[in-house]
């Protein structure tokens, strides 16, 4: 049993720790855990209980063929336990609960990421496409089989030649009015559907995305239900072919593959026609007149993939930090401050820097993820489902998914290294989880491309703000910007800060730890970056296409940097809002320290920008690192509480170094050496012996010198 597990229920490590002063705040672990579970706490508990079952766990060392079979069999366990129906219509056995569905799905990552993603392919992509892009006829015809796993399926969107650029995919679906069929065709090799889950072996059908062409007009990308294989023989139907993607860098429980189509005919009614329909005579109609808006509306219904990955990445980060911090409170190395006892790793400042800063980011990402999930549920439930709501949801998902998935990869790697050689063992899961989550950074939207989408939205909002203002308002804004630039870049702001601080490190630190001060610094950076790029791109829409593209490309880096800064601000704001919902005073104090650590870490990471742009004086900049170090000391007594609040048990962690085995080894070793010393049988260390000999030699030399001195006195007498 771990030290944490041996604590009485309801007590915290900070309260139990002898080193903590009497007045130190304590974390209410149970209450914090409940807050972290969020709106769908009951569903998450249910999903975690399922994910804790051994039959759903990843078995390391399997061949990819064996792993694929095991994962497919695990899908049936999910079906049998009603874990896949929540988002589907009530009349088909579902619950029409979209947020709850994603909350439960996110927790599957703790069992096996391959299981989570394969379930996501079947019900979150394939089934969801039929549900959201199809009509009631499609629902009745195919959803029962999809839900029961009678129809394993694929989501065939990505092509070898086009991944994130969905609008440019080359597969076509040309309508033949004579037979009332669509002819699905891949005209060249780059148009093959690629990296498609379930395509290599299991998929019997697919939702295929293709350019819809009728009466000589291309109406853009639409979705079609296509039968792939004979259900009995599992062989491809005529005109359909494919390949196995083979072994990948991770997620080898999923049979990713390639698909191609040669003049494959499907009935007209196989068009998933909620947003675009073709009549028997070939006439196209849509409730959305704008082709661009129609395209983004269709893809917007599938935003749940990004929402799912965001939360799953947070869960993986929590698993890693729980294991690494548990181990670091038990593992001892080097006796820097004691002649007999080695130091606990968690007491080293650098170790705290490595893990606590990532712990703070994980909390921020978790609170932001909960907000994203609630926004998703509001839109898909229909409570708040305007065009603006959908655009906000898409932008929020595009902002948060890159940060959380990159953070998960970084956290898994840092935790791996922080655990030394033990971290490299597969039994402790860091290496395995990192390999499986690697692709999270590029699927459901490449992270860099998603941030570019966020940047475009920021620019659009920036432009909209001044689209209809009169000349006087715009002139005042320009003057204000110029004045602000003059203040910042001439150092006047820095002088003002220095005067306000009066050279005092304490005053500078107080200004930085203040919530309003952090918000101002983080917000100003986003506003300044967007305004600067917006000014540079002003008038680009009036330039010839090639020149406009070149101008945009020359500022692409700044655009993506601005989008990332915006996403980080969203996380900080989510953390700050969560503090307002934390009722226990001790917990709120500790979480505030953690929020400050997150905010100041962002400022420290971008310190060069703040200095170059005159947002911080040199005096205040110097205090950022110092205050971070003070926060680490404050957070240290609460480290176990903060990771214990994640609520993951041994059946979820499944890491040998998180079982308390390390503490048992360390206690055994310390008792052995203590007993040796007490018995007087401990061998003398050579260095100590040499030191004693040298000391004795000095003493003897001193005695001899003293004797000579006394002898001289006698003779003289």
């Amino acid at each position: 049993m771990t030290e944490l597990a041996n604590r009485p229920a309801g007590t915290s490590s900070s309260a139990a720790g002898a080193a903590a002063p009497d007045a130190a705040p304590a974390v209410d672990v149970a209450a914090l855990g409940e807050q972290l579970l969020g709106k769908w706490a009951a569903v998450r508990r249910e999903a975690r209980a399922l994910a804790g079952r051994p039959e759903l766990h990843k078995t390391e060392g399997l061949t990819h063929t064996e792993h694929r079979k095991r994962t497919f069999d695990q899908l049936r366990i999910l079906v049998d336990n009603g874990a896949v129906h929540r988002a589907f219509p009530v009349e088909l056995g579902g619950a029409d609960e979209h947020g709850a569905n994603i909350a439960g799905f996110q927790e599957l990552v703790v069992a096996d990421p391959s299981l989570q993603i394969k379930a996501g392919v079947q019900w979150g992509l394939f089934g969801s496409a039929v549900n959201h892009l199809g009509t009631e006829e499609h629902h009745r015809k195919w959803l029962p089989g999809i839900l029961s796993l009678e129809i394993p399926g694929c989501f065939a969107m990505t092509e070898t030649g086009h991944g994130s650029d969905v609008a440019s995919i080359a597969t076509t679906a040309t309508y033949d009015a004579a037979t009332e069929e669509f002819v699905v065709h891949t005209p060249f090799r780059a148009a093959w559907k690629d990296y498609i889950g379930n395509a290599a072996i299991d998929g019997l059908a697919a939702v295929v995305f293709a350019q819809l062409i009728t009466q000589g007009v291309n109406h853009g990308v639409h979705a079609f239900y296509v039968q792939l294989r004979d259900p009995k023989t599992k062989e491809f139907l005529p005109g359909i072919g494919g390949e196995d993607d083979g072994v990948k860098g991770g997620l080898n429980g999923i049979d990713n593959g390639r698909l191609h189509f040669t003049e494959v005919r499907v009935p007209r009614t196989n068009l998933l026609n909620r947003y675009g329909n073709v009549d028997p005579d070939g006439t196209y109609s849509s409730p959305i007149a704008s082709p661009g808006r129609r395209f983004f509306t269709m893809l917007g219904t599938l935003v749940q993939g990004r929402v799912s990955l965001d939360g799953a990445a947070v869960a993986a980060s929590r698993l890693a930090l729980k294991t690494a911090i548990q181990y670091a409170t038990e593992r001892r190395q080097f006796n820097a401050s004691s002649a007999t006892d080695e130091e606990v790793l968690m007491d080293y400042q650098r170790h705290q820097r490595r893990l606590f800063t990532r712990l703070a980011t994980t909390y921020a990402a978790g609170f932001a993820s909960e907000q994203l999930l609630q926004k998703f549920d509001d839109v898909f439930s229909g409570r708040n489902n305007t065009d603006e709501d959908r655009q906000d949801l898409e932008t929020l998902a595009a902002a948060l998914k890159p940060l959380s998935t990159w953070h998960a990869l970084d956290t898994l790697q840092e935790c791996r290294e922080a655990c030394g050689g033990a971290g490299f063992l597969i039994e402790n899961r860091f290496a395995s989880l990192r390999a499986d989550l690697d692709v999270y950074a590029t699927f459901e939207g490449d992270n860099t491309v998603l941030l570019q989408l966020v940047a475009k939205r920021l620019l659009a909002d920036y432009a909209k703000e001044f689209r209809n203002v009169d000349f006087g308002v715009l002139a005042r804004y320009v003057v204000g910007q110029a004045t602000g630039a003059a203040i910042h870049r001439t150092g006047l702001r820095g002088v003002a800060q220095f005067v306000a601080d009066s050279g005092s490190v304490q005053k500078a630190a107080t200004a930085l730890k203040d919530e309003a001060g952090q918000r101002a610094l983080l917000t100003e950076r986003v506003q300044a970056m967007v305004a600067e790029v917006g000014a540079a791109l002003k008038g680009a829409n009036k330039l010839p296409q090639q020149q406009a593209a070149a101008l945009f490309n020359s500022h692409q880096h700044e655009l993506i940097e601005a989008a990332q800064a915006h996403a980080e601000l969203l996380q900080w704001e989510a953390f700050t809002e969560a503090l307002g919902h934390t009722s226990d005073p001790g917990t709120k104090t500790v979480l505030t320290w953690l929020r400050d650590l997150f905010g100041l870490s962002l400022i420290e990471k971008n310190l060069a920008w703040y200095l170059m742009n005159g947002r911080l004086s040199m005096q205040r900049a110097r205090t950022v690192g110092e205050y971070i170090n003070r926060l680490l000391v404050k957070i240290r007594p609460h480290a176990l509480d903060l990771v214990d609040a994640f609520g993951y048990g041994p059946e979820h962690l499944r890491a040998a170094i998180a079982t308390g085995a390390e503490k048992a080894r360390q206690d055994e070793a310390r008792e052995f050496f203590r007993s040796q010393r007490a018995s007087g049988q401990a061998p003398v260390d050579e260095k100590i012996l040499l030191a004693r000999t040298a000391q004795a030699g000095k003493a003897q030399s001193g005695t001899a010198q003293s004797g000579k001195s006394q002898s001289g006195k006698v003779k003289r007498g």
Side-chain angles (χ1 to χ4, degrees):
M1 294 288 288
T2 65
E3 181 182 39
L4 185 63
N6 284 325
R7 285 190 306 214
T11 51
S12 65
S13 61
S14 52
D22 292 339
V27 174
D28 185 333
V29 177
L32 178 56
E34 195 69 22
Q35 184 177 0
L36 293 177
L37 285 170
K39 180 177 180 179
W40 293 278
V43 173
R44 289 191 186 277
R45 287 195 186 91
E46 185 181 330
R48 287 184 185 185
L50 188 59
R53 289 167 52 170
E55 59 267 34
L56 291 181
H57 294 170
K58 181 178 182 180
T59 301
E60 301 290 355
L62 296 179
T63 65
H64 77 288
T65 303
E66 293 167 336
H67 194 182
R68 287 173 173 183
K69 184 181 184 306
R70 176 175 171 81
T71 305
F72 185 79
D73 291 341
Q74 289 171 332
L75 293 185
R76 300 189 187 282
I77 298 175
L78 297 183
V79 173
D80 293 342
N81 284 272
V84 303
H85 297 69
R86 294 187 185 99
F88 292 95
V90 174
E91 58 269 22
L92 296 175
D96 206 21
E97 294 179 349
H98 303 279
N101 176 62
I102 300 298
F105 173 79
Q106 289 170 345
E107 298 295 337
L108 284 178
V109 73
V110 307
D112 182 355
S114 282
L115 171 60
Q116 185 201 40
I117 299 305
K118 188 153 178 104
V121 168
Q122 175 66 19
W123 296 291
L125 292 176
F126 174 57
S128 184
V130 174
N131 189 27
H132 292 298
L133 300 180
T135 55
E136 289 186 15
E137 179 185 352
H138 301 126
H139 296 170
R140 289 193 300 270
K141 188 173 182 180
W142 294 311
L143 282 182
I146 292 171
L147 288 172
S148 69
L149 203 59
E150 181 185 347
I151 308 175
C154 309
F155 185 79
M157 176 183 282
T158 301
E159 296 180 357
T160 306
H162 286 98
S164 297
D165 184 9
V166 178
S168 298
I169 60 174
T171 299
T172 57
T174 306
Y175 185 64
D176 181 354
T179 61
E180 294 190 23
E181 293 173 317
F182 284 99
V183 182
V184 180
H185 186 64
T186 44
F188 42 77
R189 175 60 184 80
W192 284 22
K193 300 298 180 181
D194 212 341
Y195 322 116
I196 310 300
N198 282 350
I201 299 172
D202 297 326
L204 296 181
V207 171
V208 177
F209 288 81
Q211 305 285 351
L212 189 158
I213 301 170
T214 181
Q215 297 179 342
V217 178
N218 184 353
H219 292 279
V221 176
H222 287 64
F224 302 82
Y225 186 94
V226 180
Q227 188 74 25
L228 297 178
R229 290 179 170 92
D230 183 301
K232 294 181 180 179
T233 66
K234 302 299 175 67
E235 297 294 328
F236 280 125
L237 297 175
I240 300 174
E243 295 177 353
D244 193 327
D245 277 328
V247 180
K248 308 180 295 293
L251 296 179
N252 280 301
I254 305 170
D255 56 321
N256 293 88
R258 306 180 181 98
L259 297 170
H260 57 85
F261 307 91
T262 304
E263 306 288 338
V264 176
R265 290 181 170 267
V266 298
R268 179 183 65 88
T269 52
N270 279 29
L271 167 65
L272 300 179
N273 61 342
R274 180 176 178 183
Y275 297 107
N277 185 56
V278 174
D279 292 334
D281 66 356
T283 302
Y284 179 83
S285 61
S286 171
I288 304 174
S290 166
R293 186 163 155 260
R294 185 190 314 133
F295 170 74
F296 284 110
T297 300
M298 283 194 287
L299 293 194
T301 61
L302 307 172
V303 71
Q304 65 182 13
R306 293 167 189 170
V307 179
S308 300
L309 294 183
D310 173 59
V314 171
S317 297
R318 288 170 172 172
L319 283 176
L321 285 163
K322 167 62 180 171
T323 297
I325 288 176
Q326 182 77 51
Y327 181 68
T329 61
E330 299 172 359
R331 171 73 171 174
R332 294 177 178 272
Q333 198 81 87
F334 305 115
N335 53 348
S337 63
S338 170
T340 56
D341 278 348
E342 293 178 290
E343 303 294 324
V344 173
L345 292 182
M346 202 72 263
D347 287 340
Y348 288 108
Q349 184 192 74
R350 182 58 185 171
H351 215 77
Q352 294 169 4
R353 271 258 185 176
R354 299 173 79 175
L355 298 182
F356 291 174
T357 53
R358 288 168 175 84
L359 178 63
T361 303
T362 299
Y363 263 80
F367 289 130
S369 180
E370 177 69 14
Q371 288 188 349
L372 172 60
L373 186 54
Q374 291 196 28
K375 181 71 174 176
F376 169 82
D377 188 63
D378 285 343
V379 168
F380 277 72
S381 68
R383 285 189 299 273
N384 296 295
N385 191 21
T386 65
D387 282 346
E388 186 176 359
D389 287 320
R390 284 186 171 271
Q391 288 175 21
D392 288 346
L393 171 61
E394 290 160 15
T395 304
L396 188 58
L400 297 181
K401 181 262 184 182
L403 264 60
S404 59
T405 53
W406 274 331
H407 172 65
L409 294 176
D410 171 67
T411 299
L412 285 161
Q413 181 64 25
E414 196 67 31
C415 288
R416 202 295 291 161
E417 293 181 29
C419 294
F424 195 57
L425 299 179
I426 287 294
E427 70 176 13
N428 292 315
R429 297 189 70 195
F430 298 119
S432 177
L433 275 171
R434 196 195 184 288
D436 284 335
L437 265 69
D438 199 341
V439 75
Y440 283 34
T442 52
F443 78 172
E444 294 299 320
D446 176 276
N447 283 355
T448 300
V449 174
L450 290 179
L451 287 178
Q452 186 166 298
L453 292 176
V454 175
K456 288 182 177 179
R457 172 68 187 275
L458 292 175
L459 285 177
D461 288 350
Y462 172 79
K464 189 188 302 180
E465 188 175 348
F466 303 107
R467 183 175 298 158
N468 299 315
V469 300
D470 60 36
F471 178 79
V473 173
L474 190 58
R476 287 194 297 275
Y477 176 79
V478 171
V479 170
Q481 286 291 96
T483 304
I487 290 173
H488 295 310
R489 290 174 181 167
T490 58
L492 293 176
R493 182 187 175 103
V495 171
Q497 288 179 358
F498 183 79
V499 171
D501 296 340
S502 303
S504 166
V505 173
Q506 184 177 1
K507 285 186 178 180
T510 301
L512 286 168
K513 75 176 183 178
D514 179 67
E515 180 179 302
Q518 289 178 40
R519 177 180 282 112
L521 285 170
L522 296 173
T523 304
E524 280 182 16
R525 181 164 182 261
V526 177
Q527 291 174 336
M529 294 172 83
V530 173
E532 191 167 345
V533 178
L537 295 177
K538 186 179 180 181
N541 58 337
K542 298 177 183 177
L543 295 174
Q545 183 179 359
Q546 188 173 1
Q547 291 180 29
L551 179 61
F552 187 88
N553 188 55
S554 67
H555 293 281
Q556 188 180 39
H557 174 70
E558 296 98 303
L559 277 167
I560 292 170
E561 289 283 296
Q564 183 161 346
H566 170 69
E568 290 166 345
L569 174 60
L570 291 175
Q571 290 182 329
W572 184 91
E573 290 286 9
F575 202 151
T576 302
E577 185 176 326
L579 291 175
H581 300 295
T582 306
S583 56
D584 177 68
T587 304
K588 187 170 186 176
T589 296
V590 175
L591 285 185
T592 301
W593 292 338
L594 202 64
R595 191 279 314 274
D596 290 347
L597 178 59
F598 174 62
L600 292 180
S601 295
L602 291 177
I603 294 168
E604 184 182 54
K605 182 179 72 170
N606 300 297
L607 207 52
W609 186 92
Y610 287 105
L611 287 168
M612 287 191 298
N613 288 274
R615 259 59 181 186
L616 279 177
S617 67
M618 193 66 72
Q619 173 73 12
R620 287 193 184 181
R622 286 195 188 100
T623 66
V624 174
E626 295 172 12
Y627 190 65
I628 284 176
N629 290 339
R630 291 206 294 275
L631 284 172
L632 299 176
V633 175
K634 290 181 176 181
I635 293 168
R636 168 63 183 97
H638 311 281
L640 283 175
D641 292 332
L642 290 168
V643 293
D644 193 40
F646 293 151
Y648 291 120
E651 71 277 19
H652 303 121
L653 299 175
R654 304 194 305 281
I657 57 173
T659 61
E662 181 61 30
K663 184 179 186 302
R665 286 191 292 269
Q666 294 291 337
D667 288 348
E668 180 188 22
R670 294 170 76 199
E671 178 59 25
F672 173 81
F673 289 119
R674 189 198 66 76
S675 298
Q676 261 200 340
R677 291 192 300 272
S679 69
Q681 301 301 311
V684 179
D685 187 279
E686 182 182 3
K687 289 187 290 185
I688 295 176
L689 184 62
L690 289 173
R692 287 176 180 172
T693 302
Q695 189 175 10
K698 286 181 181 179
Q700 187 174 5
S701 174
T703 302
Q705 289 295 331
S706 176
K708 286 181 181 180
S709 176
Q710 292 297 326
S711 174
K713 288 178 181 179
V714 170
K715 287 179 180 180
R716 283 194 298 273

